[in-house]
């Protein structure tokens, strides 16, 4: 099953200005990410950006870049513009690979695409990994997901879900034995038809309060298939420390 990998890349970043263009072992971060996406078996890899410097850097390394509007409120809105520009069929599968994920596993990108292909009732596919400690469970920056018996998302939240009533009755923060707590991994596959409809969907109260755009799809009746993986993928680049860690990994590979 073929799919398109799209990498949204904006220069604006409060913690790391110009993040997509930061050097990692001789190449811009966004190019390193595109290289990983290309190894996934995607039939096309496209970087979607609103910055000509990013476009030029991507093109100089042999990858396709599309200029998109600068006012998109979310990365999903940017993908919707790409789907329209490429003229994708509504059933085409588009995988959103974050531009600050130069260590993303190609096999994981492919697996999420394949999950959506075999989940005809879902508009989106994503993945999650088991939560192994209470700190992550109670951290609002760690997004949790609860799934039904079919592996479809019931809800995403920054709150500790599911809530272990008896284990937490004394008010202490702990991870109850056997709790099916899952950390959402922000890798998405979409049907192109859904992407084209996404910008017109109403933003509901759940998305506003949780600040999680995937809830917009759920509040509007769309289903999300979730693949459970055994371990967490390598972290992306959010800070200077992350950047130095990733640079060290690439240097050791060369």
């Amino acid at each position: 099953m073929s799919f398109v990998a799209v990498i949204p890349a904006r220069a604006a970043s409060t913690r790391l200005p110009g993040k997509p263009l930061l050097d990692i072992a001789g190449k811009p971060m966004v190019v390193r990410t595109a290289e990983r996406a290309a190894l996934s078996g995607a039939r096309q890899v496209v970087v979607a950006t609103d910055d000509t410097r990013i476009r030029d850097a991507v093109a100089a390394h042999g990858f396709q870049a599309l200029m998109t509007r600068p006012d998109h409120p979310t990365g999903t809105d940017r993908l919707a513009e790409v789907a329209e520009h490429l003229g994708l069929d509504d059933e085409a599968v588009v995988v959103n690979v974050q531009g600050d994920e130069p260590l993303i596993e190609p096999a994981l990108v492919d697996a999420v695409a394949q999950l959506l292909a075999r989940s005809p009732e879902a508009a989106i596919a994503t993945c999650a990994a088991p939560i192994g400690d209470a700190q992550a469970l109670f951290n609002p920056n760690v997004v949790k997901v609860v799934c039904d018996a079919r592996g479809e998302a019931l809800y995403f939240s920054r709150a500790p879900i599911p809530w272990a009533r008896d284990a937490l009755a004394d008010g202490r923060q702990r991870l109850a034995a056997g709790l099916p707590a899952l950390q959402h991994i922000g890798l998405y596959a979409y049907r192109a038809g859904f992407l084209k409809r996404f910008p017109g969907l109403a933003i509901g109260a759940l998305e506003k309060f949780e600040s999680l755009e995937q809830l917009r799809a759920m509040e509007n009746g769309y289903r999300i298939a979730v693949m459970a993986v055994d371990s967490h993928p390598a972290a992306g680049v959010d800070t200077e420390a992350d950047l130095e860690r990733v640079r060290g990994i690439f240097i050791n590979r060369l």
Side-chain angles (χ1 to χ4, degrees), residues 5 7 32-45 63 106 109:
I7 305 170
R32 290 295 187 188
T33 304
E35 290 175 338
R36 300 294 286 173
L39 293 173
S40 70
R43 64 178 172 85
Q44 188 174 10
V45 176
F63 287 98
V109 176

Side-chain angles (χ1 to χ4, degrees), residues 11-202:
S13 172
T14 54
R15 284 186 286 187
L16 286 174
K19 182 163 66 169
L21 295 176
L22 294 176
D23 180 83
I24 296 179
K27 295 181 182 179
M29 184 188 308
V30 68
V31 171
R32 290 295 187 188
T33 304
E35 290 175 338
R36 300 294 286 173
L39 293 173
S40 70
R43 64 178 172 85
Q44 188 174 10
V45 176
V46 181
V47 174
T49 185
D50 57 4
D51 190 296
T52 56
R53 296 168 299 174
I54 295 173
R55 177 200 63 193
D56 294 345
V58 168
H61 286 85
F63 287 98
Q64 181 181 3
L66 287 177
M67 292 297 297
T68 53
R69 287 169 26 205
D71 58 345
H72 286 303
T74 71
T76 309
D77 290 282
R78 196 172 303 280
L79 261 69
E81 183 181 351
V82 173
E84 290 281 7
H85 181 90
L86 295 178
L88 297 178
D89 179 85
D90 283 354
E91 289 302 310
V93 173
V94 178
V95 180
N96 180 2
V97 180
Q98 297 299 322
D100 58 3
E101 298 276 358
L103 297 175
I104 188 74
E105 284 296 332
L108 188 60
V109 176
D110 177 65
V112 171
Q114 301 302 329
L115 172 62
L116 185 58
R118 64 176 183 268
S119 306
E121 296 183 343
I124 305 171
T126 189
C127 50
I131 291 177
D133 60 79
Q135 182 178 2
L137 181 65
F138 286 86
N139 183 349
N141 294 315
V142 173
V143 177
K144 276 70 69 172
V145 59
V146 172
C147 300
D148 64 16
R150 298 170 299 182
E152 292 186 354
L154 289 169
Y155 191 58
F156 293 85
S157 183
R158 298 182 183 278
I161 57 172
W163 183 261
R165 186 196 64 173
D166 295 340
L168 301 174
D170 60 4
R172 294 178 58 192
Q173 294 186 355
R174 57 165 64 89
L175 182 66
L179 186 74
L182 294 172
Q183 178 177 339
H184 178 228
I185 298 167
L187 178 66
Y188 295 96
Y190 302 94
R191 298 194 192 282
F194 167 79
L195 282 176
K196 296 169 188 176
R197 293 187 291 272
F198 180 81
L201 297 180

Side-chain angles (χ1 to χ4, degrees), residues 218-251:
M218 297 187 70
E219 287 185 89
N220 282 276
Y222 291 96
R223 293 159 68 169
I224 301 177
V226 181
M227 177 180 63
V229 297
D230 294 333
S231 59
H232 297 262
V237 177
D238 288 321
T239 66
E240 191 70 37
D242 292 335
L243 179 62
E244 292 307 314
R245 170 181 55 83
V246 171
R247 281 172 170 167
I249 291 172
F250 270 88
I251 289 172

